[in-house]
Structure formats: C-alpha cells, structure tokens
Amino acid sequence: MTDEFEPRIVAFLCKWCSSAGSDLAGVSRMEYPSNVLPITVMCSGSVSPLYIFSAFNKGADGVLVSGCHPGDCHYLKGNYYARRRIALVKKLLEFIGLEPQRFQMSWVSAAEGKKYTQVIKDFVKEIKPLGPQTKLRRNQ
Amino acid sequence: MKKRTGVFVCHCGINIAGTVDVKKVTEELSKHPGVVHSEDYIYMCSDPGQNLIIDAIKEKNLDKVVVACCSPTLHETTFRNTIKSAGLNTFQCEIANIREQCSWVHKDMEKATEKAIKISKSTVERVLRNESLDPISIPVTRRALVIGGGIAGIQSALDLANSDFEVVLVERSPSIGGHMIQLSETFPTLDCSQCILTPKMVEVSKHPNIKLMTFSEVQEISGYIGNFKVKILKKPTYVDPDKCTLCDECTKVCPVVVPNEFDLGLTGRRAIYIPFPQAIPATYILDINSCPGLLPIACGKCADVCEPNAIDFDMKPEIIEEEVGAIIVASGYDQYDKELMAEYGYGKYPDVLDGLQFERLLSASGPTMGKILRPSDHKEPKEVVFIQCVGSRDPELHCEYCSKICCMYTAKHAMLYKHHVHDGQAYVFYIDIRSGGKGYEEFVQRAVEEDGVLYLRGKVSKVFEDKEKLKVWGIDTLIGKDIEIDADMVVLAMATRPSNGAEELARKLKIALDKDGFLAEAHPKLRPVESVTSGMFLAGAAQAPKDIPEAVAQASGAAAKAISILCQERLYHAPTVANVNINLCTGCGMCVDVCPYDALSLKNGKAEVNEVLCEGCGTCSATCLRAAIQVKNITPLQVHEMINACLGG
C-alpha cells in the first residue's frame, strides 16, 4: 500500500440501470479504481437522505447515487423524486460546510458500462485532493 | 432466534480467484459476527458446488446463506433454489457480487480482496435481517383486451382467440382494418392489401371468442397484471347494426357531403355512410358532427327511407366494463402532419399528395378505380416526383428517426405508377435507400431496372405551381447539381408518427413513451413486445415504425406473451413489497402521493399497501419522515448496516 490517500466511496446503485451498468463494466473488463463500494438498491428514489448522512457519519469520503436516466426509470418516476431530493440534500450538505464534490448523482443506464467507469474515475480524482472527510464523521 | 449464516465464496475459475484472494475472503468472513460457516470452491454454481451448500446447511444447521460470486442477475435464482431444496426459504439467500463489481474491474489483488471482503460482509449484514417470504399469489382473469383493430391488433386477437381465450377487441373508428385496409398493393410481392386482410377481418367478426367493439375507446384502466378492470366508452353510431341491411337508400337522400376519411379527402361521403364496402362490422353509421341535426325535424330524411327502421336518433353513449388478465396495445400510427411541411405545398396544390392518398389512387376500390389521375383536372400525370423522408431524419425541424417503411412503399408507388402509366416518368428523391428485409433490395432494384424509376439522391427544397405544372426544385448530391423538374404530380412519403391519442392512451395505461412518442418496450433487445407495465404488451407500429410482416410477427409475439399469463391459474408476485408499521404511521399521506403504482391508500388514518400492486421500488420508504414504511428485505436498517460493513465496521 502506498501512503497516498485512498478515499472510501459508497455508491447507491439502482438495481435496473446503474447496477446493471456497473455489471456491464465488469463484463467488458473496464478497469476503475477500487475505492467505490457498491450498494444495490431497488430504485434511486428509495435512497433516503438518511442513507447519505449515515454514510458520511460512518466515515465515507464520498457518496454517489446513481439511477436510470430521467424518463427511463424502471418504476416510472422514482428517479424524478431522487433528483429533487438529492438536490436538496446537496444544498444542505453544502450549507453545513461539506465540499460539494463529495456528494454526486449520476445517470447510468444498463448499457453504459463505460460511463459508469468514467463516473467512478472522475469521482475518485475529484475527491483525492480533498483528503479524508471529517466534517460529518463520528468517532474520529 | 438463531442466526447461523454460511458464506460460500466462488473462485469462478480464475475469473474471481485471479484477482481476489478467495482464501482470505473466506477466512475473514468466518470471523464475522453471525457467520458460522465459510468455504470456497472453484465453481459454486456447478452441481458439486451447490451440493456443498446443501450439505453445509444440513450439517451446520445454517439458516442464512451468502454466496459471493457473480452478479445476482445470473445465479441468484440458482442459489435460491439450492437453499430451497435444503429446506430454507428462498429469501434467506443473498448474492455478494464480487465478480462484475470487483474482480473483473480491478487489478490490484490486495485492494480487490479488501473490497470483496467488504462487499461480502455487507451482504451478510443484509441477509441477517432478511425475512422469510412467500410469493404473493393472485388469481388470473383469463381473457385479454386488444386495443386497436389494425393488422397488429387483428393478428393478436386472432392468435388469442384461436388459443381458446376470450378477447375484447376495441377499435375507435367505425371499422377494423386500420391503415392496411387503405393500401393498394403490398411490397415486395404486390399482394392486394385488401385481399389478404379482409379474410382476417371476417374471421374476427365471426369468431366466437372475440367480442368486437368498434367506434369505442378505452376510457379508464385500473388493476394489475392478471386482473385489469377496463371501462370502455361505446360511442353511438345511431344505426342499429343488427337491423341495417346495407341497402344504401339512406345515402341517396342525405343532403350532406363531407370529405371521406377513408379516401383521405379525395372523395366525399354523406353524413350517413359505410366507411368502405368490406367494413367490419358491416353497417352504416351516422356521423353526428356533419348530420344537420339529430332531431327528425331538422332533416330525418334517412330515417324516413330506412325500411328496417335501423336508424335510432336516440342512441346514447354507453360505458361498458370488462375484466381482463392481459392487455395488448396496438394503437398504430398516423402520418406526420403535412401542414408542417409548407415548402412542399401540401394543401395548397391539389396535385401534391401524401403516401396514403396515393395508395387510394392506386387502389382498385379507390376513388378512380385504380386509374392514376390528377385530382385537379383528372388528367393522367406524365411526370411524377416522389419525395422520401418528408419529416423523417430531420432532427432540426421534424422527426429525428427513420420512418422505415417509406423507402419500400415509395419504390412500390413508383413501380405501380409505371405499371399504370407506361409512358410516364417517375422520379424519386431520396437520402438513402434502406431496403433491409426479405426480398426488399431486389424489389427496389426491380423498380429501377425493369420500370425505369429514376432515383435522385438529394432533398427537395421547394415545390410550387408554375403554368399548370408543379415545379420541383431539388439537388442531386451525387453529381452536385441543382435539379428542376416540371411535374404533374408530387407524392410525399410522410414520416410515420404515433397515432393521434397514443399519448393519452399511454397515460391511461400507465405505460411509458419513448423520446419520439412511440410506446416504450421493456427492453430494446430482450423484451421487445412487453411494455414496462407487467401484463401489458405492445404490437405493431405503436411501438416503432414497422411494415406489415414485422407488425404481424410482433402481434403474434405479444399474443404469445399474453397467453403465457392467461394460461396460468394463478400468478405469483415478488413479496418484497412495502410494509407499514402502523404504530409509527401518522397518516400524513406523503407515501400515497409519491407511489408510482397507486399501491398505497389511507385507511383509518394509516397508510395501507396493496401488496399486489406494489412493485417494491421503495420511493415511499425514502419519503416517509418517520420510517414507518419500509420495503421488505431492503429496509433502512439493512441499508445502514450494509453501509457500516462497507466502511469497515
């Protein structure tokens, strides 16, 4: 292990698009950083703000929520709710002083393995210079 | 309650073991609280691998299983069935995806192993809190609804009816037949369209299993797969089809003449009329919008001459309720609005026609009995320009997509024109010729070689009248020259777009539309006839522009899919649905508002889940301020514990 800071990222992936997209990245053997820990949920609309706070509380350096593209939600409109909810959470996190780069949302379809890879690469690259997240971390 | 989890780590040959230290994963997991057994094996999905799991369940008295292997989309069912055969509930098995989401995308063994351990631990945390569930069983109403009476709807209805299922076929216009009945000949064989369609129409009308409802529209749909309730509006035709003898006395006295929709305005019809001679059902109808008045005092001439007293001015709209188990949507297509193509002068010049109008001119039953004559002066046109891609493949101004059928029907139009007018010349302006299909390329070549149709690659910029001719300004991009043709007639291959009202219908059915407004299929490759709503299927040009053979094939596919539901006594629904803790629920109703499936309602001030409608998306659970509603087996507690495990406890 090098001494370089390795951020820990929790990624909430919807089952139908983004998780399938990350599977496709795997099937296509597209390499990306191992910093991301995937948690598959049914829909991006089921990601409660509490999940995001919980991840930051427990020491995540970044949190990603990824769902189907707007209009393509497997559950018709779950990702619209996610989009609004996440915009609010993002504002709140910025308000309390968390670097905005640490929390992102992306739209990755089941056919977009390459995009998923890119999202993770960019995310890791953006967070690395920020160092560990301490703002919301408990039991530090 | 005992919690005895077994963890099974698969090598997948070297697919996983090549990058992940499976021994270390196995060892680390054995130390995790709640895990009493862990082992690795080269191929867990093989029979010996599955037997390892079964033996371990029996020997170690396991009650929960995690298999760390490939994506759950591949072997979740396999392993759930494995533990079922060892006597456990299928929901006590979860898959940790350490292949697609780990070993295949990382190269550093240390980091990949660390990640695989975390993924596996988080999966253990999830399964530790899984409930045992049984699929929700629902009875099936063994009848189907087909919306749309074109060739696709007819084919679906016949396939279902011939498989001995009752079918309700709803068509909004007065007769079934759709656009296909308007066509003259069909490519590439030049079969007469009416000759091949009318036998099917007759079969529909005589079939004991088909309840045909024309001049009717679906008004409301509720329910779910296996059990839909449909309200159908039956509009009044003011003629009793059982009494009408088709004597045609009424039209002789009707004083009104309006454009005939069937001939796209090339001829006129009376206010009381039969859409076309072979109409099914065979009856006249009274068009209330053009009739001078339903009060006999206003006119009533038709009723006076009707011997069998078939005309009933007091007929009222009816709402008919039907119960069905599956729905096929075959709402078809319409031509792109010609008014949006002003540069080609449609509507301004009578000799600029659209593709369907030209079909009527060609048709033996058409306004000219198959003679090609100009609508303006009834002279035979000697120079005819056909323009392809009118509105199609034009992302800036019109439709982005290719309408698919126009290359072929334009070749057919040009060829048939030459068959009628031997000394005439046909020009076709095209962008590309797309003639994929059995016998299609040969057909286009035949038009060029045998019938001398002149193909010009390029677009037309303007059509305008000049001394009794239609001047067509275009460009031939192959020679890079402007082209000017003095034409006698111009035929526009209009873009195909979803039929009028498709959007409203989709909203009623809660099925999605694609970016162009066509009905969206559940998966573009693997589920092409299913809609995103279970129990509803798509057929024909409602889903995308398609020709007759494709529409028929999809219609039969949709019927087969519907039959796979209807042939079952009962259906099973995933039991991972929302669940309300009524002690926490305050009855605020926010979950009810966000549910995409109307599965939630308030009852006695508390939210209540209709488990059959619920798809388990969890939008309600993220909305609830008090965590009173949760989806079974992916509860907030489970997610929190998974986050914990992912971040190293």
Side-chain angles (χ1 to χ4, degrees):
Chain A
M1 275 274 218
T2 59
D3 291 322
E4 198 189 349
F5 166 63
E6 288 295 346
R8 294 182 299 170
I9 299 166
V10 176
F12 296 100
L13 311 178
C14 85
K15 175 176 172 170
W16 306 97
C17 290
S18 295
S19 186
S22 86
D23 276 358
L24 180 64
V27 172
S28 320
R29 312 297 202 277
M30 292 169 176
E31 202 189 344
Y32 57 82
S34 61
N35 308 58
V36 59
L37 294 152
I39 293 180
T40 300
V41 291
M42 297 304 280
C43 176
S44 56
S46 76
V47 178
S48 154
L50 291 176
Y51 296 177
I52 297 153
F53 300 135
S54 165
F56 282 125
N57 273 174
K58 287 163 187 155
D61 299 306
V63 174
L64 173 74
V65 178
S66 190
C68 311
H69 284 267
D72 286 348
C73 181
H74 180 81
Y75 299 110
L76 311 174
K77 51 187 181 181
N79 56 2
Y80 290 130
Y81 291 123
R83 184 163 64 174
R84 287 192 209 169
R85 195 176 289 136
I86 267 137
L88 286 175
V89 172
K90 207 166 169 60
K91 276 192 183 159
L92 178 62
L93 289 171
E94 280 172 38
F95 176 73
I96 57 177
L98 193 84
E99 296 91 337
Q101 300 94 308
R102 292 197 188 272
F103 176 56
Q104 298 192 6
M105 171 142 212
S106 66
W107 313 114
V108 174
S109 80
E112 291 177 333
K114 196 170 165 81
K115 182 173 177 191
Y116 180 74
T117 312
Q118 201 54 48
V119 165
I120 301 300
K121 280 182 183 165
D122 292 347
F123 199 4
V124 172
K125 204 162 127 193
E126 274 185 52
I127 297 186
K128 269 197 176 170
L130 299 178
Q133 181 273 125
T134 52
K135 198 94 198 169
L136 294 171
R137 189 174 200 156
R138 277 193 306 212
N139 312 322
Q140 183 60 23
Chain B
M1 197 167 94
K2 59 172 188 169
K3 292 251 171 94
R4 300 178 60 84
T5 308
V7 179
F8 300 85
V9 184
C10 180
H11 299 195
C12 194
I14 58 156
N15 279 309
I16 293 171
T19 0
V20 168
D21 181 348
V22 284
K23 295 285 178 200
K24 191 171 175 200
V25 175
T26 314
E27 190 194 322
E28 284 294 317
L29 264 293
S30 70
K31 298 178 202 157
H32 195 81
V35 176
V36 296
H37 175 85
S38 74
E39 66 180 310
D40 58 288
Y41 186 67
I42 184 160
Y43 287 111
M44 266 316 159
C45 59
S46 65
D47 264 8
Q50 293 185 52
N51 289 336
L52 277 182
I53 299 174
I54 294 170
D55 293 345
I57 291 170
K58 288 180 181 157
E59 281 165 27
K60 300 275 180 79
N61 203 15
L62 304 177
D63 59 359
K64 299 188 180 264
V65 165
V66 167
V67 188
C69 57
C70 54
S71 168
T73 52
L74 299 170
H75 277 303
E76 187 179 76
T77 317
T78 312
F79 292 121
R80 287 191 164 175
N81 286 332
T82 308
I83 72 158
K84 190 181 175 188
S85 67
L88 295 186
N89 181 277
T90 51
F91 287 88
Q92 297 302 350
C93 169
E94 289 289 345
I95 305 294
N97 181 353
I98 61 166
R99 193 178 75 175
E100 282 83 346
Q101 293 184 343
C102 188
S103 72
W104 273 353
V105 287
H106 307 312
K107 284 199 177 122
D108 183 320
M109 187 136 189
E110 198 177 337
K111 285 181 181 171
T113 307
E114 195 190 334
K115 180 174 167 181
I117 291 169
K118 285 178 177 171
I119 292 175
S120 306
K121 282 184 177 174
S122 82
T123 313
V124 170
E125 289 300 326
R126 181 178 179 188
V127 83
L128 280 172
R129 290 160 184 84
N130 263 10
E131 285 177 62
S132 289
L133 300 171
D134 290 311
I136 298 162
S137 149
I138 42 175
V140 180
T141 309
R142 305 177 84 176
R143 317 167 72 216
L145 169 72
V146 176
I147 304 172
I151 178 59
I154 288 174
Q155 185 64 45
S156 289
L158 286 175
D159 284 354
L160 283 158
N162 288 332
S163 307
D164 224 12
F165 292 102
E166 268 180 53
V167 184
V168 181
L169 175 58
V170 175
E171 164 59 46
R172 68 177 168 187
S173 64
S175 169
I176 57 170
H179 282 309
M180 186 178 167
I181 198 71
Q182 293 175 298
L183 307 182
S184 55
E185 278 90 19
T186 57
F187 57 81
T189 49
L190 299 184
D191 279 307
C192 157
S193 188
Q194 293 194 341
C195 313
I196 56 176
L197 181 57
T198 43
K200 283 186 184 285
M201 290 165 62
V202 172
E203 195 182 344
V204 165
S205 72
K206 307 274 185 222
H207 208 296
N209 285 339
I210 297 179
K211 178 174 176 184
L212 178 59
M213 294 178 69
T214 51
F215 215 48
S216 304
E217 284 179 39
V218 171
Q219 208 171 39
E220 202 183 304
I221 289 202
S222 59
Y224 42 85
I225 178 170
N227 295 280
F228 293 104
K229 285 194 172 65
V230 193
K231 280 187 186 161
I232 301 162
L233 169 71
K234 195 163 171 42
K235 297 174 279 186
T237 61
Y238 303 102
V239 178
D240 184 342
D242 296 331
K243 289 187 188 164
C244 177
T245 57
L246 307 175
C247 66
D248 201 35
E249 290 302 317
C250 49
T251 63
K252 290 176 191 161
V253 295
C254 180
V256 179
V257 179
V258 288
N260 182 349
E261 298 86 354
F262 187 71
D263 286 332
L264 295 109
L266 292 176
T267 57
R269 64 159 172 82
R270 302 288 170 174
I272 189 160
Y273 69 108
I274 183 163
F276 51 95
Q278 308 95 320
I280 300 283
T283 173
Y284 280 64
I285 73 157
L286 183 66
D287 171 16
I288 184 65
N289 295 319
S290 50
C291 178
L294 284 181
L295 289 173
I297 197 164
C299 175
K301 290 193 172 78
C302 51
D304 292 342
V305 297
C306 184
E307 287 237 340
N309 280 327
I311 296 167
D312 174 8
F313 290 128
D314 297 326
M315 209 179 260
K316 295 275 180 295
E318 276 178 84
I319 301 281
I320 291 166
E321 292 191 26
E322 294 285 352
E323 292 189 4
V324 296
I327 297 174
I328 294 176
V329 191
S331 50
Y333 74 97
D334 273 315
Q335 293 188 104
Y336 192 63
D337 294 331
K338 291 156 285 255
E339 289 69 23
L340 299 173
M341 306 297 307
E343 61 268 40
Y344 296 152
Y346 181 89
K348 196 169 169 193
Y349 311 124
D351 299 327
V352 177
L353 304 178
D354 64 43
L356 273 178
Q357 285 178 318
F358 196 68
E359 293 283 348
R360 295 309 303 145
L361 275 192
L362 289 170
S363 172
S365 67
T368 54
M369 308 304 264
K371 285 203 184 91
I372 312 274
L373 299 174
R374 284 165 36 122
S376 61
D377 53 11
H378 293 203
K379 283 186 191 153
E380 199 173 61
K382 297 294 179 195
E383 308 256 316
V384 178
V385 172
F386 296 88
I387 306 176
Q388 290 195 176
C389 297
V390 180
S392 306
R393 303 179 67 193
D394 191 346
E396 276 93 40
L397 295 172
H398 304 291
C399 309
E400 191 181 1
Y401 54 88
C402 165
S403 292
K404 195 167 184 185
I405 54 176
C406 338
C407 283
M408 291 310 297
Y409 79 61
T410 300
K412 177 191 76 179
H413 284 171
M415 181 189 285
L416 291 174
Y417 163 71
K418 285 289 289 181
H419 291 180
H420 286 82
V421 185
H422 302 301
D423 58 344
Q425 180 60 53
Y427 304 89
V428 176
F429 279 95
Y430 70 101
I431 305 180
D432 295 294
I433 296 297
R434 297 186 166 172
S435 54
K438 199 168 174 174
Y440 287 9
E441 175 60 20
E442 299 91 313
F443 185 78
V444 175
Q445 289 308 322
R446 179 179 158 196
V448 175
E449 288 163 13
E450 288 181 24
D451 299 303
V453 176
L454 195 59
Y455 272 81
L456 300 161
R457 188 178 194 276
K459 288 198 94 165
V460 170
S461 62
K462 199 176 177 186
V463 176
F464 59 99
E465 213 164 37
D466 183 38
K467 293 175 203 146
E468 288 184 15
K469 292 271 185 183
L470 289 164
K471 204 167 266 302
V472 179
W473 278 355
I475 186 167
D476 185 334
T477 55
L478 292 181
I479 54 169
K481 271 193 172 172
D482 292 341
I483 304 274
E484 192 180 305
I485 297 170
D486 286 327
D488 299 312
M489 185 183 270
V490 172
V491 181
L492 309 177
M494 300 305 302
T496 301
R497 59 166 186 80
S499 67
N500 292 324
E503 196 181 339
E504 197 191 336
L505 180 65
R507 208 166 39 239
K508 283 176 192 162
L509 301 175
K510 293 201 183 83
I511 56 179
L513 297 174
D514 66 18
K515 67 178 181 25
D516 301 314
F518 291 100
L519 304 178
E521 64 280 5
H523 187 282
K525 291 172 186 68
L526 301 178
R527 296 170 70 194
V529 304
E530 291 159 78
S531 79
V532 285
T533 309
S534 39
M536 294 192 195
F537 305 97
L538 313 175
Q543 182 246 337
K546 45 174 80 70
D547 58 22
I548 295 164
E550 278 184 322
V552 170
Q554 195 188 15
S556 286
K561 282 282 173 190
I563 290 168
S564 73
I565 293 170
L566 302 180
C567 67
Q568 298 178 64
E569 292 280 346
R570 303 186 78 76
L571 286 177
Y572 295 94
H573 182 273
T576 43
V577 292
N579 186 32
V580 181
N581 180 337
I582 54 164
N583 295 322
L584 292 178
C585 179
T586 59
C588 70
M590 276 165 64
C591 55
V592 178
D593 292 339
V594 298
C595 179
Y597 297 97
D598 295 336
L600 289 161
S601 56
L602 286 179
K603 202 169 183 186
N604 303 327
K606 305 280 181 187
E608 191 183 62
V609 181
N610 180 334
E611 295 200 333
V612 175
L613 288 181
C614 178
E615 294 274 338
C617 66
T619 302
C620 52
S621 124
T623 307
C624 182
L625 299 175
R626 298 173 55 99
I629 187 161
Q630 314 190 332
V631 176
K632 289 175 186 171
N633 289 354
I634 180 106
T635 63
L637 177 63
Q638 286 178 300
V639 176
H640 288 303
E641 291 302 335
M642 288 171 82
I643 296 169
N644 228 350
C646 278
L647 293 168

